[in-house]
Amino acid sequence: MTIRSIRFDPAPPLDPNAATTVHEWYQDRTGAFSAGFWASAPSEIEVSYDEDEFCVLIEGTVELTDASGHTETFQAGQSFVIPSGFKGVWKSVTAVRKFYVVHLPAGAASLPDAAADLAGT
């Protein structure tokens, strides 16, 4: 097996005709671990995470509001984790670009439910 690094492009092409753009740059053999790039126009989406997601915002502002109403705000340059089991609202306050790493815990349904929600599918 050849092992190589994967460089994350900070400015990948965006689809001007879509509300979101996703570039998955890596997925392991099991499908439980993946990493890539995601971008969104301002929007608000209800999400339910089966997976754990580590996010690095490279542009924009995001508000995450959990089911109890608690809101956290994240801005470009900040990183955060959304744990498996999180239910709430993802709000892209402004246009957002992020790098993500997703891990699906053993026994979870499929990857990536919340990413599919964010992608608008």
Side-chain angles (χ1 to χ4, degrees):
M1 164 173 35
T2 301
I3 297 179
R4 64 179 180 87
S5 64
I6 298 165
R7 185 176 304 272
F8 279 27
D9 180 354
L14 301 181
D15 183 345
N17 300 314
T20 61
T21 299
V22 179
H23 294 285
E24 184 173 276
W25 291 325
Y26 177 79
Q27 187 175 78
D28 74 350
R29 288 184 216 134
T30 70
F33 179 83
S34 63
F37 170 87
W38 180 86
S40 166
S43 60
E44 188 170 309
I45 305 160
E46 286 191 37
V47 294
S48 178
Y49 275 70
D50 289 334
E51 64 276 12
D52 298 301
E53 179 178 8
F54 174 72
C55 302
V56 178
L57 285 185
I58 53 178
E59 178 182 310
T61 301
V62 169
E63 290 178 357
L64 290 178
T65 304
D66 66 20
S68 72
H70 177 78
T71 300
E72 294 280 342
T73 302
F74 303 96
Q75 298 180 345
Q78 294 182 313
S79 303
F80 55 96
V81 171
I82 303 170
S84 173
F86 176 87
K87 293 181 188 323
V89 175
W90 170 289
K91 181 177 181 181
S92 294
V93 178
T94 63
V96 170
R97 293 184 313 130
K98 72 175 181 177
F99 294 137
Y100 68 85
V101 176
V102 174
H103 177 259
L104 185 66
S110 64
L111 207 180
D113 289 346
D117 289 343
L118 291 174
T121 59

